[in-house]
Amino acid sequence: MRESRPAEVLTEPVPGLWERVACGVLIAMLTGALIGPVFAPLQEETPVLRLVWLPAYAAIFGLLLFRIDRLWRAWPAMLAMAALVGLAFASRYWSIDFATTMRRVIALGISCGFALYLGAVFRGPHLPRLLMHTALLMAVGSLVMVFAFPSIGVHQYENAGLWRGLWYEKNQMGAVMVIGATAAAACLASPDPRRLLPAICLVLSSGLVLATQSKTSLLCLAVALAFVGGFWALRRGGPIFAVAAIWGAVVLAGVGLWVWDSHSVAVLEALGKDPSLTGRTDIWESLMRKVADRPWTGYGYGAFWGRIGESVPADWVRKETGWTVPSAHNGWIDLLVQLGWPGTILVGALMAATALIAVLRSAGSGVREGWWALGFLAAFFVLSLSESILMAHQGLPWVLFLAALTRAVLPSPAAGPVPDAVPLVEKRRRAYQTGPRIAAQYPHGPVRSRSVAYR
């Protein structure tokens, strides 16, 4: 028997199975699942790792060509991505590592193309479902690694005993599982009646986030689920409940800001964090001094964090902080050292515009996708305060942000089910009723054509 679905779900054409499989593999690669620990165990770029990505780049080009008829409609997103890639490309003229900048600009452009494809082709609930299915498979794979291959799936030295699954670090697994849990919650909140797999994915992904003991991932999970659940409750509760909920959210936000401003040290200690955020504040202070040297240009896209002895400003930060700092651990400060204030302002403006459009469209497209965009954008912003994910040349959070931007600027699909989704019996019933309806419109008899009237 054919599964009945609401009209809101049927308005979006489902991409083919081979497209969903190909995109699932590409999404898993963007997370760095298993590929990094196997081909680059020291977390360095190697020629082998670059060769592994060549088939992925070819697949992305093939997908773009196959769906080129849908991409042109997202021309505002194209312009935004062109500005980002253009600024990164221009930074080669003042980059401290020309070769690295050019290599990563190419990777950034290809990632933008894949984001454009995801946003333009996987409309409505189909992108959250794709993310949910992919995250569920990676969650199962992480459990296999934890219990069958603990030398890979569990931290052995630093953070000993904490789970990391298919990735280098527990924070990586936490971020990916947050994406999976957000997508699963959106699937549950959408009109799609299929609930079993989303429920399993939500429970399993949330459990893996807890297993990492990553406070950042846990905060992102709470924020994302609060946004998805909050908008779902607003729609289900009616206007009185909506007003009360909005008022309560504003009050809680105000109280939270006051508590953080007045008792931030006590809050961090209660969460098991030291006031320096595991040394992050020392890194930020040192980096801001380097930003002051090049506030409007930065040091070139992807060029600041070179190996020890290859980047003078990075070595200066490492010497000042007393350890081999791998990144800024803050997306916004990392943007400042790479592209200066122009790049940071551009990304901030795009993020604000995407969030505003998503809120304005929350009563339409937001319902169909289960408010996935709002939940993801909230988690993405929180994650950007602790991890260097903004304008990453190969990173799933950044790709999904650009996909959300693409979906936000696309026109809403036509209401009602797609023609292929109408059962054959329903088509025959409508065809049978067409004659009586037309006859009722002309009570004085049918209007004959001019050729018949003059015979």
Side-chain angles (χ1 to χ4, degrees), residues 186-422:
C187 292
L188 289 173
S190 72
D192 196 320
R194 295 170 289 181
R195 308 291 187 191
L196 180 59
L197 280 181
I200 295 174
C201 182
L202 178 59
V203 173
L204 185 55
S205 299
S206 301
L208 288 177
V209 171
L210 294 175
T212 65
Q213 296 187 23
S214 170
K215 304 302 188 297
T216 301
S217 299
L218 185 59
L219 178 60
C220 290
L221 177 66
V223 169
L225 296 185
F227 267 76
V228 173
F231 275 88
W232 177 83
L234 287 176
R235 182 173 177 83
R236 302 275 294 186
I240 297 178
F241 176 81
V243 172
I246 293 174
W247 178 83
V250 171
V251 171
L252 286 176
V255 171
L257 290 174
W258 175 79
V259 170
W260 176 257
D261 184 62
S262 304
H263 306 85
S264 58
V265 175
V267 171
L268 290 172
E269 290 177 350
L271 294 174
K273 288 285 188 179
D274 62 274
S276 68
L277 297 176
T278 322
R280 282 181 171 86
T281 55
D282 297 332
I283 301 172
W284 299 341
E285 292 174 0
S286 179
L287 283 174
M288 290 307 296
R289 285 190 283 273
K290 303 309 294 182
V291 169
D293 295 337
R294 293 192 179 189
W296 298 108
T297 61
Y299 294 84
Y301 177 71
F304 188 88
W305 297 106
R307 297 178 182 177
I308 297 176
E310 296 181 355
S311 173
V312 174
D315 288 343
W316 185 86
V317 172
R318 289 163 180 154
K319 183 178 180 180
E320 191 174 56
T321 55
W323 65 294
T324 54
V325 183
S327 69
H329 291 287
N330 183 292
W332 302 98
I333 296 178
D334 230 335
L335 267 182
L336 283 172
V337 298
Q338 293 183 76
L339 300 175
W341 285 105
T344 306
I345 293 173
L346 177 59
V347 171
L350 291 178
M351 189 180 296
T354 304
L356 177 60
I357 297 173
V359 170
L360 293 177
R361 301 183 68 173
S362 61
S365 59
V367 176
R368 286 192 296 274
E369 67 176 23
W371 299 279
W372 168 81
L374 292 169
F376 169 76
L377 289 173
F380 179 76
F381 175 74
V382 174
L383 186 62
S384 70
L385 299 177
S386 180
E387 301 294 336
S388 300
I389 60 172
L390 300 180
M391 284 191 70
H393 64 287
Q394 288 173 347
L396 182 60
W398 177 251
V399 167
L400 291 181
F401 164 70
L402 293 179
L405 168 64
T406 302
R407 288 156 61 94
V409 300
L410 282 171
S412 299
V418 295
D420 292 339
V422 180

Side-chain angles (χ1 to χ4, degrees), residues 71-133:
L71 302 183
W72 66 270
R73 299 176 184 176
W75 61 267
M78 288 185 187
L79 294 179
M81 295 180 197
L84 293 170
V85 176
L87 181 59
F89 178 78
S91 71
R92 71 189 185 118
Y93 293 106
W94 57 81
S95 174
I96 61 175
D97 189 345
F98 176 86
T100 299
T101 294
M102 288 306 302
R103 187 170 64 248
R104 293 187 175 179
V105 165
I106 294 173
L108 176 66
I110 297 174
S111 296
C112 289
F114 183 54
L116 185 70
Y117 167 85
L118 284 179
V121 176
F122 286 82
R123 304 289 305 278
H126 302 310
L127 182 56
R129 290 203 73 86
L130 173 66
L131 296 173
M132 181 265 297
H133 288 141

Side-chain angles (χ1 to χ4, degrees), residues 413-434:
V418 295
D420 292 339
V422 180
L424 181 60
V425 175
E426 179 68 14
K427 292 181 180 179
R428 290 178 177 174
R429 184 181 67 81
R430 293 180 183 180
Y432 177 78
Q433 292 180 350
T434 300

